[in-house]
Amino acid sequence: MQSLFVNSHPCSILLFNLILFVLFYNTMAAIKLPPNETVPAIFVFGDSTVDTGNNNNRITPSKANYRPYGNDFKGKVATGRFSNGKVPSDMIVKELEIKEFLPAYMDPNLQSQDLITGVCFASGGSGYDPLTSKLASSWSLSDQLGMLKEYIVRLQGIVGANRTNFILTRSLYLISMSSCDIANVYFGPTARRYEYDFNSYTDLMLKYATQFLKELYSLGARRIGVLGAPPIGCVPSQRTVAGGVRRQCGEGHNQLAMLFNAKLTTLLDSLNKDMPDSRMIYLDIYNPLLDLIEHPEKNGFKIAKKGCCGSGLIEVAPICNPSSAICTDVNDYVFWDSFHPTERAYKIITSQIIKNEGNKLF
């Protein structure tokens, strides 16, 4: 069946959002499923840190299907993942022993078996605020929900209505966005920060988050993990643009992120009370990532204020490209480019998140 989402539009900037999920850093499994519990599929929504290639066929600079992205991926292939290797979408399906990689829904080579065990709907540059995705011409939150609806029809044609309902209600849904709202829009070249203060802008973001979560629930989703905002002011690019001469963390960025996270926690608690059988869980990435940035040596890193690509100060797709030099040892770096972590950093942070909160989803 041909996808309804085939048209592309010019797209502008893509910024970092740290969205992390479920993987144990060492060999021991992190997720302990209760007896008789299964997770038939994984569905991921969000931005560039979980996008596994949905932007590849868009006419946009906000994609990563060229080197040096994928430098340490299997076969050294640049697949559209914004890192040197795997991203959290892949890590969670591997951890749950579903499959090795989570394919992008917009991949033209997507197979029926891929649909049965889950796909990624995320698109680099998206956010809760509709203006965020509009400015980036990325697949918006409503677009990603539309992909899910289309997916359901396709899945029914493969496995039938009953099995489709089972997959939808027992699968894991992960949502990761908010950083692009903060960095690209509120502190970006828009009028948002003049129209809204921190309190009213986070309310705007949560308005659209609420709508999205309620519609996910109406489509059958019950196990939903929602990542909060990271300390976006401390990623290399935001240090460069908002941290002054000394490239300190952008204080305003982080204050807005913390306010959003506090409100998101309250929202999810409220929705769980109103929606029977739902498990909507807040996943804290702010503190684990901040600890990694402030104390990189604890995990064997040496550099947390710059990325591995180019100067590490501002480079991200399309500025991080085949002509960019890369660092000699990526394992020394927390960040691959100026927005996105390295694969090793993703693994460490996800292990912390799952130990703290992940099993609440089951």
Side-chain angles (χ1 to χ4, degrees):
M1 177 177 177
Q2 185 177 7
S3 173
L4 300 176
F5 296 86
V6 295
N7 295 321
S8 298
H9 304 283
C11 162
S12 59
I13 201 166
L14 166 65
L15 277 181
F16 165 82
N17 181 17
L18 223 322
I19 328 305
L20 306 169
F21 313 116
V22 187
L23 183 76
F24 209 57
Y25 183 52
N26 296 310
T27 58
M28 182 180 294
I31 303 173
K32 304 293 186 182
L33 293 179
N36 301 319
E37 284 286 347
T38 61
V39 181
I42 306 293
F43 305 105
V44 177
F45 305 83
D47 61 14
S48 59
T49 50
V50 287
D51 184 354
T52 58
N54 284 307
N55 281 4
N56 285 0
N57 294 317
R58 295 181 69 82
I59 302 174
T60 168
S62 299
K63 53 188 177 183
N65 57 340
Y66 50 81
R67 300 296 299 275
Y69 292 101
N71 191 61
D72 300 295
F73 195 78
K74 185 177 181 179
K76 291 187 173 293
V77 178
T79 60
R81 291 164 171 82
F82 288 78
S83 187
N84 62 305
K86 293 180 181 180
V87 295
S89 303
D90 306 307
M91 297 172 183
I92 186 174
V93 290
K94 178 102 184 261
E95 180 62 27
L96 287 170
E97 299 181 344
I98 296 174
K99 51 190 173 186
E100 186 174 5
F101 305 107
L102 190 69
Y105 182 68
M106 299 303 293
D107 184 347
N109 298 314
L110 196 67
Q111 302 297 309
S112 295
Q113 188 62 37
D114 294 322
L115 292 173
I116 295 172
T117 52
V119 290
C120 175
F121 301 109
S123 174
S126 61
Y128 290 113
D129 183 348
L131 181 59
T132 303
S133 300
K134 182 178 180 181
L135 288 177
S137 291
S138 60
W139 299 120
S140 68
L141 199 57
S142 59
D143 288 334
Q144 293 179 37
L145 192 64
M147 292 179 193
L148 175 62
K149 293 176 180 178
E150 178 186 277
Y151 162 86
I152 292 172
V153 175
R154 296 176 67 178
L155 187 62
Q156 288 172 339
I158 298 169
V159 300
N162 289 339
R163 180 64 184 175
T164 294
N165 290 337
F166 175 85
I167 291 173
L168 292 174
T169 56
R170 302 298 289 272
S171 293
L172 179 61
Y173 299 74
L174 295 170
I175 303 162
S176 173
M177 52 179 64
S178 67
S179 289
C180 292
D181 297 312
I182 297 171
N184 285 14
V185 175
Y186 193 83
F187 288 103
T190 77
R192 281 293 199 240
R193 66 182 177 277
Y194 306 109
E195 299 168 338
Y196 299 89
D197 59 15
F198 282 11
N199 190 56
S200 58
Y201 189 66
T202 51
D203 285 345
L204 177 74
M205 293 167 64
L206 289 164
K207 169 188 171 183
Y208 289 103
T210 301
Q211 293 175 2
F212 180 75
L213 290 167
K214 287 183 175 180
E215 188 142 13
L216 265 189
Y217 180 87
S218 72
L219 293 172
R222 295 296 181 267
R223 299 166 168 169
I224 305 173
V226 186
L227 283 105
I232 185 66
C234 295
V235 305
S237 67
Q238 298 309 297
R239 287 178 180 272
T240 300
V241 301
V245 176
R246 298 180 63 188
R247 297 186 67 246
Q248 302 296 315
C249 294
E251 183 177 351
H253 294 61
N254 287 351
Q255 289 176 348
L256 186 54
M258 288 188 288
L259 179 60
F260 173 77
N261 291 344
K263 291 184 176 183
L264 178 61
T265 303
T266 301
L267 169 65
L268 296 176
D269 289 342
S270 176
L271 291 176
N272 280 326
K273 294 175 182 177
D274 295 337
M275 298 180 176
D277 300 322
S278 67
R279 293 188 182 182
M280 299 186 186
I281 305 300
Y282 170 77
L283 301 176
D284 173 32
I285 65 167
Y286 188 98
N287 291 298
L289 177 57
L290 186 62
D291 182 66
L292 190 61
I293 292 171
E294 292 182 339
H295 308 286
E297 70 284 350
K298 291 197 308 186
N299 291 287
F301 294 105
K302 296 179 180 179
I303 301 169
K305 295 183 178 181
K306 297 194 301 181
C308 176
C309 183
S311 71
L313 303 178
I314 199 67
E315 288 88 348
V316 68
I319 306 173
C320 177
N321 56 47
S323 65
S324 302
I326 59 174
C327 59
T328 56
D329 190 351
V330 69
N331 290 320
D332 288 341
Y333 285 74
V334 173
F335 291 95
W336 170 244
D337 58 21
S338 66
F339 302 115
H340 306 96
T342 59
E343 179 180 342
R344 189 166 87 86
Y346 274 133
K347 289 179 179 179
I348 293 171
I349 301 169
T350 54
S351 74
Q352 296 173 6
I353 291 174
I354 190 55
K355 283 187 289 185
N356 293 335
E357 299 153 314
N359 284 327
K360 296 176 184 178
L361 290 164
F362 303 102

